[in-house]
Amino acid sequence: MPLPPLSLLAPLLLLAVAALALLRPHRRPKALPALAEAASIATLALALMSLVQLVLNGPQVVSLGDGALLMALRLDAISATMLLLVAFVGWIVVRYSRRYLDGEAREGAFHGLMLAALASVLVLVQSGSLAVLVLAFAAVGIVLRHLLLFYPDRPEARRAATKFTLVWGAGDVALVIAVTLLWVAFGTADLAALGQAAQGTASLAGGFAVALIVLAAALKTAAFPLHGWLTEVMEAPTPVSALLHAGIINGGGFLLIRLADVVQTSAGAMAALVMLGGFTAIFGAAVMLTQSAVKTALAWSTVAQMGFMLLQCGLGLWALALLHIVAHSLYKAHAFLSAGGAVAAVAAVRRPGPVAVPDFAAVARAFALALALYVAVATVFGMAVGPKSVQALALGVILIFGVAYLVAQGLADAAPRALTQRTAVASLTAAVAYFGFQVIAGALWGPYLPAAPVPGALEWALVVLALISFGLVAVAQALFPLWAHHPATAALRVHLANGLYLNAALDRLIGGFSATRKS
């Protein structure tokens, strides 16, 4: 009989060291920072060994109890991927924290809270039952609130923590009601059995449960319009921002992916994800371009990326959504931890000369070229590995719109030949990479996730709407230099820089929880 997954030991190890740190939070630690890093390295080793166990023994489930209170942890391709990701990012963040927090009066408490947060996320990504899923999300919220309040005397930190608690807590409430309805509708708390039971079964309770799951995921990924708390967490130490934006914020996406079989039974829920995710992505990206502070721009980038992930889930591209989580986590952790050095590096670079501004003709040629290259690559991959779903092809077009913006710079009349060549190569590389990574993601996780649904009238309408929306935004961005100095543009930039004042509206809504009051 195979041994239980070694990854089960990782949360216990981290919690043991966290308890040691939190017993005397105000004591200046000596060996504790090194011990915290050693625990994170051991966690990464356990995650790697669990991957070997998965390859040798196949998926495993360890459970305790029965019925609605079933406590189960699962090791499969999805959880193993997330385990490695969380363990690796956690190790990097803990290692960075040793220098960043060196000399802080509450350094020991910080390391303890960071390890507790990592332990909670590790339990979350291994959850095999509804009860474990709910408890892990609640634990993540509790620990993260304490991390956001690491500097409790800062009014902005208290305000951000209050908003986070309200939004994350509302997501927890929605999730509790959802799992209760799932138990009523399908009579099982096991996540694997739940996916099988949901196939071909329609019930009122199940429909409401899926709607609440989508709501919980939207709240936990800081989707529009309750995204404001995510852009205000900069008063916490930088490692907290890195862990939040590179790991914890992906919890809503993981929830959808883990319950993909259930979520995909509702066409309405999938449509809601496409519309909400697509709008959040466009809104977050537009605001990001107006930000002058590096970390604030990164925060708005996360809002946009989470919206794009929700869009992928709504299109039924579950494997690509998981790949997006992995890629975004690695990029965003590096971006936050290297933000200070990036500012210094940019300041030291010699300023460029005049920038080539593309006119409408250059933009039109750029989009035509990018789309032509995309169609050519899609045709080659289709002949080599088989045709792709409509949703996957549409997502590729959206991605290539972003590349077309760069190609437009290369096709401007004043652009040097070398720039034109590089942007054309970038477009081709992006198209090849998209289909290549799609093949890899399908091979790794496709067998464990539902295939994208066959598009009906609703799905076609949403795909067309997404293509038009992202296409118009990309064209407007490429043409922006032509009308950037217009007074109306200056006013629009101010409004966008303030996020269309939605965060201020949330401040007024919660009224009594102002920045001057301790939460």
Side-chain angles (χ1 to χ4, degrees):
M1 183 175 180
L3 292 173
L6 293 175
S7 57
L8 301 181
L9 300 176
L12 299 177
L13 173 62
L14 293 175
L15 287 175
V17 180
L20 181 64
L22 293 172
L23 282 177
R24 298 176 63 185
H26 298 288
R27 176 176 59 87
R28 177 73 172 88
K30 293 182 181 179
L32 182 60
L35 182 61
E37 184 179 354
S40 65
I41 294 175
T43 297
L44 179 58
L46 289 171
L48 288 169
M49 288 188 284
S50 296
L51 177 62
V52 175
Q53 285 183 296
L54 175 64
V55 173
L56 295 178
N57 304 322
Q60 292 179 269
V61 178
V62 177
S63 59
L64 178 66
D66 200 2
L69 298 179
L70 173 68
M71 310 297 288
L73 296 176
R74 180 177 181 83
L75 177 68
D76 58 12
I78 297 172
S79 60
T81 300
M82 295 301 295
L83 274 169
L84 282 171
L85 177 64
V86 173
F88 177 73
V89 172
W91 167 53
I92 296 298
V93 172
V94 170
R95 181 176 178 82
Y96 181 90
S97 301
R98 288 186 62 180
R99 289 184 303 165
Y100 187 90
L101 272 296
D102 186 36
E104 282 279 352
R106 299 177 60 238
E107 182 182 356
F110 180 86
H111 286 294
L113 289 171
M114 287 292 288
L115 294 180
L118 286 173
S120 301
V121 177
L122 288 173
V123 173
L124 172 63
V125 300
Q126 294 183 86
S127 55
S129 65
L130 295 174
V132 173
L133 199 64
V134 170
L135 293 175
F137 267 117
V140 169
I142 292 171
V143 179
L144 184 55
R145 172 181 168 80
H146 283 85
L147 283 170
L148 293 177
L149 286 171
F150 185 72
Y151 298 121
D153 295 332
R154 298 181 179 181
E156 293 82 1
R158 296 198 300 270
R159 182 173 58 197
T162 298
K163 290 183 181 179
F164 164 76
T165 302
L166 290 173
V167 176
W168 191 272
D172 285 340
V173 172
L175 185 58
V176 169
I177 300 174
V179 300
T180 303
L181 292 174
L182 288 175
W183 167 257
V184 171
F186 304 112
T188 179
D190 181 81
L191 296 183
L194 190 65
Q196 297 176 356
Q199 299 304 309
T201 303
S203 68
L204 185 61
F208 276 119
V210 173
L212 288 169
I213 289 170
V214 170
L215 175 61
L219 290 170
K220 293 183 181 299
T221 51
F224 179 92
L226 298 178
H227 53 272
W229 66 268
L230 186 61
T231 64
E232 292 188 350
V233 298
M234 304 310 161
E235 291 300 316
T238 295
V240 177
S241 300
L243 181 64
L244 171 59
H245 287 263
I248 293 175
I249 196 65
N250 294 309
F254 173 79
L255 172 65
L256 292 172
I257 293 170
R258 183 49 89 188
L259 296 174
D261 289 294
V262 179
V263 174
Q264 196 159 298
T265 60
S266 172
M270 298 290 280
L273 285 170
V274 170
M275 291 186 289
L276 179 62
F279 186 82
T280 301
I282 292 174
F283 174 72
V287 177
M288 178 196 69
L289 295 174
T290 66
Q291 302 301 308
S292 56
V294 174
K295 289 187 178 181
T296 305
L298 288 174
W300 281 104
S301 167
T302 300
V303 172
Q305 293 294 333
M306 291 300 99
F308 200 74
M309 182 186 63
L310 293 179
L311 170 66
Q312 291 172 309
C313 292
L315 292 174
L317 303 174
W318 303 104
L320 285 179
L322 184 55
L323 176 64
H324 186 277
I325 288 178
V326 174
H328 176 260
S329 294
L330 296 175
Y331 152 71
K332 197 53 65 76
H334 176 268
F336 266 100
L337 297 180
S338 62
V343 172
V346 170
V349 172
R350 183 175 62 86
R351 296 296 183 266
V355 178
V357 177
D359 56 14
F360 185 82
V363 171
R365 291 196 304 271
F367 276 77
L369 174 61
L371 289 173
L373 289 174
Y374 176 77
V375 171
V377 173
T379 302
V380 172
F381 270 87
M383 292 187 295
V385 299
K388 298 298 179 183
S389 66
V390 170
Q391 295 92 324
L393 292 173
L395 185 70
V397 173
I398 292 173
L399 292 175
I400 213 67
F401 281 156
V403 177
Y405 164 73
L406 297 178
V407 176
Q409 316 304 311
L411 294 181
D413 293 336
R417 182 183 299 273
L419 178 60
T420 302
Q421 295 173 346
R422 286 200 299 270
T423 52
V425 171
S427 179
L428 177 62
T429 303
V432 173
Y434 171 71
F435 286 105
F437 281 119
Q438 189 178 111
V439 171
I440 295 172
L444 290 176
W445 308 303
Y448 309 98
L449 293 167
V454 177
L458 176 61
E459 287 77 14
W460 273 108
L462 291 173
V463 166
V464 172
L465 177 62
L467 290 176
I468 292 175
S469 300
F470 280 90
L472 289 175
V473 170
V475 171
Q477 182 183 5
L479 293 174
F480 180 80
L482 298 178
W483 40 274
H485 301 293
H486 192 279
T489 303
L492 177 61
R493 183 182 182 88
V494 172
H495 297 322
L496 283 176
N498 287 279
L500 300 184
Y501 311 102
L502 290 169
N503 204 24
L506 180 59
D507 287 339
R508 293 180 180 179
L509 185 65
I510 62 178
F513 300 99
S514 64
T516 59
R517 175 180 173 182
K518 290 187 177 182
S519 57

Coordinates of all heavy atoms in Angstrom, one line a residue, residues 63-139:
S63 N -8.7 10.9 4.0 CA -9.9 11.5 4.5 C -10.1 11.1 6.0 O -9.6 10.1 6.4 CB -11.1 11.1 3.7 OG -11.2 9.7 3.6
L64 N -10.9 11.9 6.7 CA -11.3 11.6 8.0 C -12.7 12.1 8.2 O -13.1 13.2 7.8 CB -10.4 12.4 9.0 CG -10.6 12.3 10.5 CD1 -10.4 10.9 11.0 CD2 -9.8 13.3 11.3
G65 N -13.5 11.2 8.8 CA -14.9 11.6 9.0 C -15.8 11.2 7.8 O -15.3 10.5 6.9
D66 N -17.0 11.7 7.9 CA -18.0 11.3 6.8 C -19.1 12.4 6.7 O -19.2 13.3 7.6 CB -18.6 9.9 7.1 CG -19.2 9.3 5.9 OD1 -19.1 9.9 4.8 OD2 -19.7 8.2 6.0
G67 N -19.9 12.2 5.7 CA -21.0 13.1 5.6 C -20.6 14.6 5.2 O -19.6 14.8 4.6
A68 N -21.4 15.5 5.7 CA -21.1 16.9 5.4 C -19.8 17.4 6.0 O -19.2 18.4 5.5 CB -22.3 17.8 5.9
L69 N -19.4 16.8 7.1 CA -18.1 17.2 7.8 C -16.9 16.4 7.4 O -15.9 16.3 8.1 CB -18.3 17.1 9.3 CG -19.5 18.0 9.9 CD1 -19.6 17.7 11.4 CD2 -19.2 19.4 9.6
L70 N -17.0 15.8 6.2 CA -15.9 15.0 5.7 C -14.6 15.9 5.6 O -14.7 17.0 5.0 CB -16.2 14.4 4.3 CG -15.0 13.7 3.5 CD1 -14.6 12.5 4.2 CD2 -15.4 13.5 2.1
M71 N -13.5 15.5 6.1 CA -12.3 16.2 6.0 C -11.3 15.4 5.2 O -10.9 14.3 5.6 CB -11.7 16.4 7.4 CG -12.6 17.0 8.5 SD -13.2 18.7 8.0 CE -11.7 19.6 8.4
A72 N -11.1 15.9 4.0 CA -10.2 15.2 3.0 C -9.2 16.1 2.4 O -9.5 17.3 2.1 CB -11.1 14.6 2.0
L73 N -8.0 15.5 2.2 CA -7.0 16.2 1.4 C -6.6 15.4 0.2 O -6.6 14.1 0.3 CB -5.7 16.4 2.3 CG -5.9 17.4 3.5 CD1 -4.6 17.4 4.3 CD2 -6.3 18.8 3.0
R74 N -6.4 16.0 -0.9 CA -6.2 15.3 -2.2 C -4.9 15.7 -2.9 O -4.6 16.8 -2.9 CB -7.4 15.6 -3.1 CG -7.4 14.9 -4.5 CD -8.6 15.1 -5.3 NE -8.6 14.4 -6.6 CZ -8.9 13.2 -6.8 NH1 -9.4 12.5 -5.7 NH2 -8.9 12.6 -8.0
L75 N -4.3 14.7 -3.4 CA -3.1 14.9 -4.2 C -3.4 14.4 -5.7 O -3.6 13.2 -5.9 CB -1.9 14.1 -3.7 CG -0.6 14.2 -4.5 CD1 0.0 15.7 -4.5 CD2 0.5 13.3 -4.0
D76 N -3.4 15.3 -6.6 CA -3.6 15.0 -8.0 C -2.8 16.0 -8.8 O -2.0 16.8 -8.3 CB -5.1 15.0 -8.4 CG -5.8 16.3 -8.1 OD1 -5.1 17.3 -7.9 OD2 -7.0 16.4 -8.2
A77 N -3.0 16.0 -10.1 CA -2.2 16.9 -11.0 C -2.4 18.3 -10.7 O -1.5 19.1 -10.7 CB -2.5 16.6 -12.4
I78 N -3.6 18.7 -10.3 CA -3.9 20.1 -10.0 C -3.3 20.5 -8.7 O -2.7 21.6 -8.6 CB -5.5 20.3 -10.0 CG1 -6.0 20.0 -11.4 CG2 -5.8 21.8 -9.6 CD1 -7.5 20.1 -11.5
S79 N -3.6 19.7 -7.7 CA -3.0 20.1 -6.3 C -1.5 20.0 -6.3 O -0.9 20.8 -5.7 CB -3.7 19.2 -5.3 OG -3.3 17.8 -5.5
A80 N -0.9 19.1 -7.0 CA 0.5 19.0 -7.1 C 1.1 20.2 -7.7 O 2.2 20.7 -7.3 CB 0.9 17.7 -7.8
T81 N 0.5 20.7 -8.8 CA 1.0 21.9 -9.4 C 0.9 23.1 -8.5 O 1.9 23.9 -8.4 CB 0.1 22.2 -10.7 OG1 0.2 21.1 -11.6 CG2 0.6 23.5 -11.4
M82 N -0.2 23.2 -7.8 CA -0.4 24.4 -6.9 C 0.6 24.2 -5.7 O 1.1 25.2 -5.2 CB -1.8 24.5 -6.4 CG -2.8 24.8 -7.6 SD -2.4 26.4 -8.4 CE -2.7 27.5 -7.0
L83 N 0.8 23.0 -5.2 CA 1.7 22.8 -4.1 C 3.1 23.3 -4.5 O 3.8 24.0 -3.7 CB 1.8 21.3 -3.8 CG 0.7 20.7 -2.8 CD1 0.8 19.2 -2.8 CD2 0.9 21.3 -1.4
L84 N 3.6 22.9 -5.6 CA 4.9 23.3 -6.1 C 5.0 24.8 -6.2 O 6.0 25.4 -5.8 CB 5.3 22.6 -7.4 CG 5.7 21.2 -7.3 CD1 5.9 20.6 -8.7 CD2 7.1 21.1 -6.6
L85 N 4.0 25.4 -6.8 CA 3.9 26.8 -7.0 C 4.0 27.6 -5.6 O 4.8 28.5 -5.4 CB 2.7 27.2 -7.8 CG 2.5 28.7 -8.0 CD1 3.6 29.3 -8.9 CD2 1.1 29.0 -8.7
V86 N 3.1 27.2 -4.7 CA 3.0 27.9 -3.4 C 4.3 27.7 -2.6 O 4.8 28.6 -2.0 CB 1.8 27.3 -2.6 CG1 1.8 27.9 -1.2 CG2 0.5 27.7 -3.3
A87 N 4.8 26.4 -2.7 CA 6.0 26.2 -1.9 C 7.2 27.0 -2.4 O 8.0 27.5 -1.7 CB 6.3 24.7 -1.9
F88 N 7.3 27.1 -3.8 CA 8.4 27.8 -4.4 C 8.3 29.3 -4.1 O 9.3 29.9 -3.6 CB 8.5 27.5 -5.9 CG 9.6 28.3 -6.6 CD1 10.9 27.9 -6.4 CD2 9.3 29.4 -7.4 CE1 11.9 28.6 -7.1 CE2 10.2 30.1 -8.0 CZ 11.6 29.7 -7.9
V89 N 7.1 29.9 -4.4 CA 6.9 31.3 -4.1 C 7.1 31.6 -2.6 O 7.7 32.6 -2.2 CB 5.6 31.8 -4.6 CG1 5.3 33.2 -4.2 CG2 5.5 31.7 -6.1
G90 N 6.6 30.7 -1.8 CA 6.7 30.9 -0.3 C 8.2 30.9 0.1 O 8.6 31.7 1.0
W91 N 9.0 30.0 -0.4 CA 10.4 30.0 -0.1 C 11.1 31.3 -0.5 O 11.8 31.9 0.3 CB 11.1 28.8 -0.7 CG 12.6 28.9 -0.7 CD1 13.4 29.1 0.4 CD2 13.5 28.8 -1.8 NE1 14.7 29.2 0.1 CE2 14.8 29.0 -1.3 CE3 13.3 28.7 -3.2 CZ2 15.9 29.0 -2.1 CZ3 14.4 28.6 -4.0 CH2 15.7 28.8 -3.4
I92 N 10.8 31.8 -1.7 CA 11.4 33.0 -2.2 C 11.0 34.2 -1.3 O 11.8 35.0 -0.9 CB 11.0 33.3 -3.6 CG1 11.5 32.2 -4.5 CG2 11.5 34.7 -4.1 CD1 13.0 32.1 -4.6
V93 N 9.7 34.3 -0.9 CA 9.2 35.4 -0.1 C 9.8 35.3 1.3 O 10.2 36.4 1.9 CB 7.7 35.4 -0.1 CG1 7.2 36.4 0.9 CG2 7.1 35.7 -1.4
V94 N 9.9 34.1 1.9 CA 10.4 34.0 3.2 C 11.9 34.4 3.2 O 12.4 35.0 4.2 CB 10.2 32.6 3.8 CG1 11.0 32.4 5.1 CG2 8.7 32.3 4.0
R95 N 12.6 33.9 2.2 CA 14.0 34.3 2.1 C 14.2 35.8 2.0 O 15.1 36.4 2.6 CB 14.7 33.6 0.9 CG 16.2 33.8 0.7 CD 16.7 33.0 -0.4 NE 18.1 33.3 -0.6 CZ 19.1 32.8 0.1 NH1 18.9 31.9 1.0 NH2 20.4 33.1 -0.2
Y96 N 13.4 36.4 1.2 CA 13.5 37.9 1.0 C 13.2 38.6 2.3 O 13.8 39.6 2.7 CB 12.5 38.3 -0.1 CG 12.5 39.8 -0.4 CD1 13.3 40.3 -1.3 CD2 11.6 40.6 0.3 CE1 13.3 41.7 -1.6 CE2 11.6 42.0 0.0 CZ 12.4 42.5 -0.9 OH 12.4 43.8 -1.2
S97 N 12.2 38.0 3.1 CA 11.8 38.6 4.3 C 12.9 38.7 5.4 O 12.9 39.6 6.3 CB 10.6 37.9 4.9 OG 9.5 37.9 4.0
R98 N 13.9 37.8 5.3 CA 15.0 37.7 6.3 C 15.8 39.1 6.2 O 16.1 39.6 7.3 CB 15.9 36.6 6.0 CG 15.4 35.2 6.4 CD 16.4 34.1 6.2 NE 17.5 34.3 7.1 CZ 18.6 33.5 7.1 NH1 18.7 32.5 6.3 NH2 19.6 33.8 8.0
R99 N 16.0 39.6 5.0 CA 16.7 40.8 4.9 C 15.8 42.0 5.1 O 16.1 43.0 5.8 CB 17.4 41.0 3.6 CG 18.6 40.0 3.4 CD 19.3 40.3 2.1 NE 18.3 40.1 1.0 CZ 18.5 40.6 -0.3 NH1 19.6 41.2 -0.6 NH2 17.6 40.4 -1.2
Y100 N 14.6 41.9 4.6 CA 13.7 43.0 4.5 C 13.2 43.4 6.0 O 13.1 44.6 6.3 CB 12.4 42.7 3.7 CG 11.5 43.9 3.5 CD1 11.7 44.7 2.4 CD2 10.4 44.1 4.3 CE1 10.8 45.8 2.2 CE2 9.6 45.2 4.1 CZ 9.8 46.0 3.1 OH 8.9 47.1 2.9
L101 N 13.0 42.4 6.8 CA 12.5 42.7 8.2 C 13.6 42.6 9.2 O 13.3 42.7 10.4 CB 11.4 41.6 8.5 CG 10.0 41.9 8.2 CD1 9.5 43.1 8.9 CD2 9.8 42.0 6.7
D102 N 14.8 42.5 8.8 CA 15.9 42.4 9.8 C 16.0 43.7 10.6 O 16.0 44.8 10.1 CB 17.2 42.3 9.0 CG 18.4 42.0 10.0 OD1 18.2 41.3 11.0 OD2 19.5 42.5 9.7
G103 N 15.9 43.5 11.9 CA 15.9 44.6 12.9 C 14.6 45.1 13.3 O 14.5 45.9 14.2
E104 N 13.5 44.6 12.7 CA 12.1 45.0 13.1 C 11.8 44.5 14.5 O 12.2 43.4 14.9 CB 11.1 44.5 12.1 CG 11.0 45.3 10.8 CD 10.1 46.5 11.0 OE1 9.5 46.7 12.0 OE2 10.1 47.3 10.0
A105 N 11.1 45.3 15.3 CA 10.8 44.9 16.7 C 9.9 43.6 16.7 O 10.0 42.8 17.6 CB 10.1 46.0 17.4
R106 N 9.0 43.5 15.7 CA 8.1 42.3 15.7 C 8.5 41.4 14.5 O 7.6 40.8 13.9 CB 6.7 42.8 15.5 CG 6.2 43.7 16.7 CD 4.8 44.3 16.4 NE 3.8 43.2 16.3 CZ 3.1 43.0 15.2 NH1 3.2 43.8 14.2 NH2 2.2 42.0 15.2
E107 N 9.8 41.3 14.3 CA 10.2 40.4 13.2 C 9.8 38.9 13.4 O 9.4 38.3 12.5 CB 11.8 40.4 13.1 CG 12.3 39.6 11.9 CD 13.8 39.6 11.9 OE1 14.4 40.4 12.7 OE2 14.4 38.9 11.1
G108 N 9.8 38.5 14.6 CA 9.4 37.1 14.9 C 7.9 36.9 14.6 O 7.6 35.9 14.0
A109 N 7.1 37.8 15.0 CA 5.7 37.7 14.7 C 5.4 37.7 13.2 O 4.6 36.9 12.7 CB 4.9 38.9 15.3
F110 N 6.2 38.5 12.5 CA 6.0 38.5 11.0 C 6.3 37.1 10.4 O 5.5 36.6 9.6 CB 6.9 39.6 10.4 CG 6.8 39.6 8.9 CD1 5.8 40.4 8.3 CD2 7.6 38.9 8.0 CE1 5.6 40.5 6.9 CE2 7.5 39.0 6.7 CZ 6.5 39.8 6.1
H111 N 7.4 36.5 10.8 CA 7.8 35.2 10.2 C 6.7 34.2 10.6 O 6.4 33.3 9.8 CB 9.2 34.8 10.7 CG 10.3 35.5 10.1 ND1 10.6 35.4 8.7 CD2 11.2 36.4 10.6 CE1 11.6 36.2 8.4 NE2 12.0 36.8 9.5
G112 N 6.2 34.3 11.8 CA 5.2 33.4 12.3 C 3.9 33.5 11.4 O 3.3 32.5 11.0
L113 N 3.5 34.7 11.2 CA 2.3 34.9 10.4 C 2.5 34.5 8.9 O 1.6 34.0 8.3 CB 1.9 36.4 10.5 CG 1.4 36.9 11.8 CD1 1.2 38.4 11.8 CD2 0.0 36.2 12.1
M114 N 3.7 34.8 8.4 CA 3.9 34.4 7.0 C 3.9 32.9 6.9 O 3.3 32.3 5.9 CB 5.3 34.9 6.6 CG 5.4 36.4 6.3 SD 4.4 36.9 4.9 CE 5.4 36.2 3.5
L115 N 4.5 32.1 7.8 CA 4.4 30.7 7.7 C 3.0 30.1 7.9 O 2.6 29.2 7.3 CB 5.4 30.1 8.8 CG 6.9 30.4 8.6 CD1 7.7 29.7 9.7 CD2 7.4 29.9 7.2
A116 N 2.3 30.8 8.8 CA 0.9 30.4 9.0 C 0.1 30.6 7.7 O -0.8 29.8 7.4 CB 0.3 31.1 10.2
A117 N 0.3 31.7 7.1 CA -0.4 32.0 5.8 C 0.0 30.9 4.8 O -0.9 30.4 4.0 CB 0.0 33.4 5.3
L118 N 1.2 30.6 4.6 CA 1.7 29.5 3.7 C 1.0 28.2 4.0 O 0.6 27.5 3.1 CB 3.2 29.4 3.7 CG 4.0 30.5 3.0 CD1 5.5 30.3 3.2 CD2 3.6 30.5 1.5
A119 N 1.0 27.9 5.3 CA 0.3 26.6 5.7 C -1.1 26.6 5.3 O -1.6 25.5 4.9 CB 0.5 26.4 7.2
S120 N -1.8 27.7 5.5 CA -3.3 27.8 5.2 C -3.5 27.6 3.7 O -4.4 26.9 3.2 CB -3.8 29.1 5.6 OG -3.7 29.3 7.0
V121 N -2.6 28.2 2.9 CA -2.7 28.1 1.4 C -2.4 26.7 1.0 O -3.1 26.1 0.1 CB -1.8 29.1 0.7 CG1 -1.9 28.9 -0.8 CG2 -2.3 30.5 1.1
L122 N -1.4 26.0 1.6 CA -1.1 24.7 1.3 C -2.3 23.7 1.6 O -2.5 22.8 0.8 CB 0.1 24.2 2.0 CG 1.5 24.8 1.6 CD1 2.6 24.4 2.5 CD2 1.8 24.4 0.1
V123 N -3.0 23.9 2.7 CA -4.2 23.1 2.9 C -5.2 23.4 1.9 O -5.9 22.5 1.4 CB -4.7 23.4 4.4 CG1 -6.0 22.7 4.6 CG2 -3.7 23.0 5.4
L124 N -5.4 24.7 1.5 CA -6.4 25.1 0.6 C -6.2 24.3 -0.8 O -7.2 23.8 -1.3 CB -6.4 26.6 0.3 CG -7.3 27.1 -0.8 CD1 -8.7 26.9 -0.5 CD2 -7.0 28.6 -1.0
V125 N -5.0 24.3 -1.3 CA -4.8 23.8 -2.6 C -4.8 22.2 -2.6 O -4.9 21.6 -3.6 CB -3.4 24.2 -3.2 CG1 -3.4 25.7 -3.4 CG2 -2.2 23.8 -2.4
Q126 N -4.7 21.6 -1.4 CA -4.9 20.2 -1.3 C -6.3 19.7 -0.9 O -6.5 18.6 -0.7 CB -3.9 19.6 -0.2 CG -2.4 19.8 -0.6 CD -1.5 19.2 0.5 OE1 -1.2 18.0 0.4 NE2 -1.1 20.0 1.4
S127 N -7.2 20.7 -0.7 CA -8.5 20.4 -0.2 C -9.2 19.3 -1.1 O -9.2 19.5 -2.3 CB -9.4 21.6 -0.1 OG -9.4 22.3 -1.4
G128 N -9.8 18.3 -0.5 CA -10.5 17.3 -1.2 C -12.0 17.2 -0.8 O -12.7 16.4 -1.3
S129 N -12.4 18.1 0.1 CA -13.8 18.1 0.5 C -14.3 19.5 0.7 O -13.5 20.4 0.9 CB -14.0 17.3 1.8 OG -13.3 17.9 2.9
L130 N -15.6 19.7 0.8 CA -16.1 21.0 0.9 C -15.8 21.7 2.3 O -15.5 22.9 2.3 CB -17.7 20.9 0.8 CG -18.2 20.5 -0.6 CD1 -19.7 20.3 -0.5 CD2 -17.8 21.5 -1.6
A131 N -15.8 20.9 3.3 CA -15.5 21.4 4.7 C -14.0 22.0 4.7 O -13.8 23.1 5.2 CB -15.7 20.4 5.7
V132 N -13.1 21.2 4.2 CA -11.7 21.7 4.2 C -11.5 22.9 3.3 O -10.8 23.9 3.7 CB -10.8 20.6 3.6 CG1 -9.3 21.1 3.5 CG2 -10.8 19.4 4.6
L133 N -12.3 23.0 2.2 CA -12.2 24.2 1.3 C -12.6 25.4 2.1 O -12.0 26.5 2.1 CB -13.1 23.9 0.1 CG -12.9 24.8 -1.1 CD1 -11.5 24.5 -1.7 CD2 -14.0 24.5 -2.1
V134 N -13.8 25.3 2.8 CA -14.3 26.5 3.6 C -13.4 26.9 4.7 O -13.1 28.0 4.9 CB -15.7 26.1 4.1 CG1 -16.2 27.2 5.1 CG2 -16.7 26.0 3.0
L135 N -12.9 25.9 5.5 CA -12.0 26.2 6.6 C -10.7 26.8 6.2 O -10.2 27.7 6.8 CB -11.8 24.9 7.4 CG -13.0 24.4 8.2 CD1 -12.7 23.0 8.8 CD2 -13.5 25.4 9.2
A136 N -10.2 26.3 5.1 CA -8.9 26.8 4.6 C -9.0 28.3 4.1 O -8.2 29.1 4.4 CB -8.4 26.0 3.4
F137 N -10.1 28.6 3.4 CA -10.3 30.0 2.9 C -10.5 30.9 4.2 O -10.0 32.0 4.2 CB -11.6 30.1 2.1 CG -11.3 29.9 0.6 CD1 -11.8 28.9 -0.1 CD2 -10.5 30.9 0.0 CE1 -11.6 28.8 -1.5 CE2 -10.3 30.8 -1.4 CZ -10.8 29.7 -2.1
A138 N -11.2 30.4 5.2 CA -11.4 31.3 6.4 C -10.0 31.5 7.1 O -9.7 32.6 7.5 CB -12.4 30.6 7.3
A139 N -9.2 30.5 7.2 CA -7.9 30.6 7.8 C -7.0 31.6 7.1 O -6.3 32.4 7.7 CB -7.2 29.2 7.9

